[in-house]
């Protein structure tokens, strides 16, 4: 495999055509689920005669995530075997077909099937796009690009969901047209992404897992568990904040949009400086800072101290999550052997979406036992504990480095 090309971070990375294509691909994954959320009431009215209309309309949103959980590891292994560029292109094409099919499909059942197929496309895009970052870039350039990847997803999500709200006011079918926009991305991907040479399955004189950390499987397992817990905790925001705001006496529809909009925008802006922070603090340092910000935000929301503090808490959570998330990709790409990046990326993608799927199932019993405020305060305590552990790990790492230097 060709060695990754080093590019100056932040200031220059976005000028690289490969980086531009990968960032455009990154924006697609965020639009898979929530883009059609504004259309759900209209779809429920259109299919009001269906005996299971309430269930099926609500399943349309999480259906892609369910598919991703099951197929992402398989897609990752496939990308390692047949090549990542081609699979990314086919993933985008399938995304367009399955996503926009809702414009014409005649029933809720067929829409649900198309949403499951959309999840397969999301798995292909997300897994190959992340692995290609590792193929093309290294060092500080790679760290900067993983931060910009998170920023692109946040800004893309804000644009797509806002546009869907406008279109849904005209027709519940129109938001499905947004899924055709990736047709504009396909030519850029085809022209900008040279396919790296495939890593041979074995090399004479090398270990089968040459190029990765000797204990990469063990480290990856811990990374996957932490990723799942992180997403499971973060997703108490989009899944439970509407009901919490309603219980507090606020206009849940308007305030939910405000809270999640602030969270998304704050995260998009914070991710722009991730590369510089990661270079200065290291992974454990950025985790200590990011988890600390998320913990502060959860406590601010659970404190029931008024709307300004609640909005400030949402901003803190958005910032912290935007700093925490890219570090998982950075670590995965650093420890996994080059020829296993697709499979490792597929498992990481599964951990992300599994956390999303499990979040409401674990949140509801907690809310029933100790209320919404207890849920958010408990989430803050968990995140603060992770932040403290990361801070201790960072201090030990720095002491070890100083010891070697001496």
């Amino acid at each position: 495999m060709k060695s990754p090309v080093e590019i100056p971070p932040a200031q220059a990375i976005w000028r690289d055509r490969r980086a531009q294509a990968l960032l455009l691909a990154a924006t697609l994954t965020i639009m898979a689920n929530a883009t059609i959320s504004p259309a759900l009431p209209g779809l429920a009215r259109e299919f009001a005669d269906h005996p299971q209309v309430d269930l099926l309309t609500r399943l349309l949103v999480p259906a892609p995530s369910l598919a991703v959980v099951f197929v992402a590891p398989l897609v990752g292994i496939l990308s390692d075997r047949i090549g990542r560029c081609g699979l990314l292109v086919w993933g985008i094409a399938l995304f367009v077909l399955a996503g926009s099919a809702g414009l014409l499909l005649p029933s809720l059942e067929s829409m649900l099937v198309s949403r499951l197929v959309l999840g397969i496309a999301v798995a292909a895009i997300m897994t190959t796009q992340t692995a290609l970052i590792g193929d093309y870039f290294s060092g500080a350039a790679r760290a900067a690009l993983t931060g910009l990847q998170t920023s692109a997803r946040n800004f893309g999500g804000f644009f797509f969901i806002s546009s869907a709200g406008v279109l849904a006011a005209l027709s519940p079918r129109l938001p499905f047209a947004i899924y055709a926009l990736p047709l504009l991305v396909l030519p850029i991907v085809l022209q900008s992404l040279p396919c790296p040479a495939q890593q041979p399955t074995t090399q004479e004189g090398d270990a089968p897992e040459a190029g990765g950390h000797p204990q990469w499987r063990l480290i990856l397992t811990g990374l996957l568990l932490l990723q799942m817990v992180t997403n499971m905790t973060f997703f108490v925001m989009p899944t439970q904040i509407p009901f919490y705001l309603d219980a507090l006496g606020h206009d849940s529809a308007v305030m939910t949009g405000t809270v999640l909009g602030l969270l998304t925008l704050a995260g998009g802006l914070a991710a722009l400086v991730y590369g510089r922070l990661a270079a200065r603090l290291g992974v454990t340092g950025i985790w200590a800072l990011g988890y600390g910000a998320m913990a502060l935000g959860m406590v601010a929301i659970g404190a029931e101290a008024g709307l300004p503090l609640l909005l400030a808490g949402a901003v803190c959570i958005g910032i912290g999550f935007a700093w925490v998330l890219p570090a998982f990709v950075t670590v995965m790409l650093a420890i996994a052997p080059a020829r296993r990046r697709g499979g490792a990326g597929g498992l990481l993608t599964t951990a992300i979406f599994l956390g999303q799927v499990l979040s409401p199932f674990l949140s509801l019993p907690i809310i029933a036992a100790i209320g919404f405020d207890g849920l958010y305060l408990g989430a803050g305590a968990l995140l603060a504990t992770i932040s403290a552990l990361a801070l201790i790990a960072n201090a030990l790492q720095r002491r070890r480095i100083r010891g070697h230097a001496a």
Side-chain angles (χ1 to χ4, degrees):
M1 173 183 269
K2 296 179 182 179
S3 59
V5 179
E6 185 69 39
I7 294 176
Q11 299 90 340
I13 188 69
W14 60 270
R15 297 193 186 103
D16 189 284
R17 292 185 64 188
R18 298 168 302 173
Q20 293 168 4
L22 292 173
L23 290 175
L24 285 172
T27 64
L28 307 184
T29 58
I30 196 68
M31 68 188 282
N33 289 44
T35 297
I36 65 161
S37 293
L40 295 184
L43 290 173
R45 289 190 294 270
E46 180 179 338
F47 295 100
D49 294 336
H50 195 290
Q52 295 179 307
V53 61
D54 291 336
L55 174 63
L56 292 178
T57 51
R58 283 160 177 78
L59 284 177
L60 292 178
V61 173
S65 293
L66 292 173
V68 170
V69 167
F70 290 104
V71 304
L74 301 176
V75 170
I77 294 171
L78 184 64
S79 74
D80 287 334
R81 293 181 179 275
I82 69 171
R84 291 155 193 158
C85 291
L87 196 57
L88 176 60
V89 169
W90 281 108
I92 294 173
L94 184 62
F95 187 97
V96 171
L97 291 173
S100 60
L103 280 167
L104 303 173
L105 291 175
S107 67
L108 285 174
E109 288 86 354
S110 59
M111 285 186 183
L112 184 59
V113 171
S114 73
R115 300 289 291 172
L116 292 171
V117 175
L118 179 65
I120 298 174
V122 170
I125 295 169
M126 198 165 180
T127 299
T128 54
Q129 186 255 351
T130 298
L132 285 168
I133 290 177
D135 290 342
Y136 294 141
F137 305 100
S138 65
R142 181 187 290 173
L145 188 53
T146 56
L148 291 176
Q149 179 187 45
T150 300
S151 185
R153 286 173 180 166
N154 279 30
F155 289 135
F158 182 78
F159 169 76
F160 292 130
I161 295 171
S162 300
S163 302
V166 175
L167 293 174
L170 302 174
S171 166
R173 296 286 189 141
L174 280 179
F176 289 100
I178 294 175
Y179 291 100
L181 289 177
L183 283 174
L184 303 176
V185 176
L186 264 178
I188 299 173
V189 169
L190 288 168
Q191 294 172 10
S192 303
L193 296 184
C195 292
Q198 287 299 102
Q199 185 81 1
T201 53
T202 58
Q203 293 180 4
E204 188 176 352
D206 286 349
E209 305 301 336
H213 192 281
Q215 295 179 313
W216 72 274
R217 287 187 176 88
L218 179 62
I219 298 172
L220 181 63
T221 300
L223 196 70
L224 296 175
L225 289 173
L226 183 58
Q227 175 76 86
M228 185 181 69
V229 170
T230 301
N231 275 65
M232 196 161 50
T233 307
F234 172 77
F235 262 75
V236 301
M237 289 301 292
T239 59
Q240 302 304 332
I241 200 69
F243 304 101
Y244 186 35
L245 291 169
D246 186 62
L248 293 174
H250 299 293
D251 184 330
S252 60
V254 174
M255 286 309 305
T256 297
T258 302
V259 169
L260 297 182
L262 280 173
L263 184 152
T264 303
L265 286 176
L269 292 171
L272 294 174
V273 299
Y274 168 81
R276 294 179 182 179
L277 284 175
R280 183 170 298 181
L281 302 176
V283 169
T284 52
I286 199 81
W287 270 342
L289 187 63
Y291 281 113
M294 290 178 69
L296 186 63
M298 291 290 183
V299 171
I301 291 174
E304 296 188 19
L307 191 57
L309 191 62
L310 189 149
L311 294 175
V315 170
C316 288
I317 293 169
I319 291 172
F321 191 63
W323 287 341
V324 163
L325 197 60
F328 286 95
V329 177
T330 301
V331 174
M332 183 276 291
L333 292 175
I335 64 169
R339 69 182 184 87
R340 296 297 184 93
R341 283 179 186 145
L347 291 172
L348 195 65
T349 300
T350 289
I352 291 171
F353 283 88
L354 186 59
Q356 295 178 17
V357 171
L358 291 178
S359 183
F361 292 102
L362 295 177
S363 297
L364 290 176
I366 296 174
I367 294 168
I370 57 178
F372 286 104
D373 55 342
L375 172 70
Y376 283 98
L377 291 173
L382 174 62
L383 293 166
T385 301
I386 298 174
S387 175
L389 292 174
L391 190 62
I392 293 170
N394 184 257
L396 292 174
Q397 187 178 31
R398 289 182 180 276
R399 181 182 298 178
R400 192 183 309 116
I401 292 172
R402 285 196 297 268
H404 287 314

